[in-house]
Amino acid sequence: MCLVTVPGQTVTVSTFRTLHEPLEARRVVLGRSTHVDRILPHRTHRMIGAWCFLDHFGPDDVTSDGGMWVPPHPHAYLQTVTWLFEGQGLHTDSLGNRQLIRPGQLNVMTAGPGICHAEVTPEGAPDVLHGVQLWVALPDTVRNTVPPDFAHLADLPRRTGGGAEVTTFIGRLGGAVSPAPRFSLLVGAEIRLAPGAELALPLRTDFEHGLLIAAGNARVNGADGTPRAVTYLEPGTDHLTLANPDPEAPAVLLLIGGQPFEEEIVMWWNFVARSHEEIVELATRWNESDVPARFGQVEGFDGPRLLAPPLPTVRLKSRGRRA
Ligand code: MN
């Protein structure tokens, strides 16, 4: 046992759990020129809690190519979570929302059975864009009944102390609770560490967690972290200790976690379904009409919407959280 501190409180922690190999990202090209690091779904760890998708983009200088340009596209049976470390984004959706997002703020869109949105870098945005796009799978019990919704949260619980800053954007962490809508037990937080800073946080032992090193470097529960990769922490891990070993550069980290998601899902294009037939239905409904009833329309977008690609020639299979 040892005593460690979180900003504003003291917690007692006990055993250290084995750390798995880091989950490395794979480079993916989106659209014409945007490169992202895709971490989830990972070959061995398809999900962490209900988190089923994690793209890490930037830091990129967006002055030459204009930055993010994602035309209207649909989603179903998931929540999209947008979190920026640097830069700005502009969200528009079929519910009529038009929302600028800045670092430290959360955009969370609940698709339910269908919604569509567009995300672009707005005119006049800062030169550098750096952030993450995540998806949360909706449980089967609510995915068809929860109404489509968009929430922007600019006032999130943030604790600072000892060179550490923790912003809890969804769920509960170390006593901080985010008001963001969620439909399973999960957590998401940004952690910033000044050079040399250390931090410890209590974790729920019924959760699995992943810690992304988005910028700089960190030691995670006593082991060297891998920049731009995710350190996986299995259920039973009761705490997280972090240290920024760099004497000059800050560390920017993303913590995600949740109760292991035991339902099998089919992820294809922008949908999280349960069967091949559901995917076919979703793609067909989106492609067949300029204003598909199920997904609606983003008004006023300057350009065509994205159509679903041809379906694979083999049947899509539902899969569990582990390979
Ligand atoms: Mn999207």
Side-chain angles (χ1 to χ4, degrees):
M1 302 280 270
C2 63
L3 277 178
V4 292
T5 58
V6 292
Q9 71 176 107
T10 301
V11 294
T12 306
V13 299
S14 53
T15 53
F16 286 77
R17 304 280 302 196
T18 310
L19 296 177
H20 292 240
E21 291 292 303
L23 309 184
E24 302 270 7
R26 57 203 157 90
R27 204 76 166 149
V28 174
V29 183
L30 292 184
R32 287 187 297 270
S33 58
T34 307
H35 288 77
V36 302
D37 276 358
R38 183 153 300 161
I39 300 171
L40 294 178
H42 185 270
R43 182 174 49 81
T44 58
H45 294 65
R46 298 179 53 74
M47 303 177 73
I48 295 176
W51 300 101
C52 59
F53 183 90
L54 169 53
D55 267 1
H56 177 204
F57 49 88
D60 290 323
D61 185 329
V62 299
T63 51
S64 57
D65 68 357
M68 185 175 291
W69 181 261
V70 185
H73 60 281
H75 287 291
Y77 302 142
L78 58 90
Q79 289 178 296
T80 63
V81 169
T82 304
W83 185 262
L84 299 181
F85 304 117
E86 292 181 82
Q88 283 180 10
L90 177 65
H91 161 102
T92 49
D93 65 39
S94 51
L95 303 175
N97 295 292
R98 180 180 178 85
Q99 180 64 53
L100 192 68
I101 183 172
R102 294 187 167 86
Q105 305 176 340
L106 176 72
N107 276 0
V108 54
M109 185 178 78
T110 303
I115 199 169
C116 70
H117 73 151
E119 288 174 301
V120 302
T121 300
E123 277 189 44
D127 291 352
V128 176
L129 179 64
H130 185 200
V132 286
Q133 164 82 210
L134 298 126
W135 297 352
V136 181
L138 289 173
D140 194 46
T141 49
V142 303
R143 67 193 182 101
N144 268 305
T145 51
V146 63
D149 177 62
F150 172 78
H152 174 76
L153 294 106
D155 186 19
L156 292 162
R158 182 167 295 124
R159 293 178 169 198
T160 56
E165 179 183 275
V166 180
T167 306
T168 303
F169 58 79
I170 195 163
R172 173 193 293 264
L173 182 65
V177 182
S178 165
R182 58 173 178 78
F183 300 89
S184 59
L185 284 167
L186 80 169
V187 69
E190 180 198 87
I191 301 167
R192 291 179 183 257
L193 295 177
E198 298 180 5
L199 173 71
L201 293 163
L203 299 179
R204 280 181 67 131
T205 55
D206 57 337
F207 279 20
E208 56 184 343
H209 294 84
L211 192 282
L212 168 68
I213 300 178
N217 208 342
R219 287 178 63 78
V220 183
N221 281 11
D224 289 330
T226 304
R228 301 189 74 82
V230 162
T231 299
Y232 175 75
L233 303 160
E234 64 190 4
T237 309
D238 60 4
H239 69 284
L240 175 66
T241 62
L242 297 168
N244 179 0
D246 196 292
E248 289 170 10
V252 181
L253 314 170
L254 178 85
L255 176 69
I256 57 173
Q259 278 189 339
F261 195 81
E262 300 297 355
E263 298 174 29
E264 295 199 342
I265 60 174
V266 183
M267 284 181 63
W268 184 84
W269 197 43
N270 291 305
F271 307 128
V272 174
R274 295 301 189 277
S275 68
H276 180 87
E277 287 72 20
E278 279 190 2
I279 293 288
V280 172
E281 172 75 10
L282 290 162
T284 305
R285 289 289 161 264
W286 172 254
N287 279 3
E288 70 184 0
S289 162
D290 283 345
V291 189
R294 180 166 184 156
F295 304 100
Q297 181 184 28
V298 179
E299 300 277 355
F301 187 85
D302 184 17
R305 65 197 179 115
L306 292 178
L307 290 179
L311 281 156
T313 51
V314 295
R315 277 183 69 80
L316 299 163
K317 278 195 226 158
S318 64
R319 299 172 71 175
R321 50 191 281 270
R322 291 291 173 268

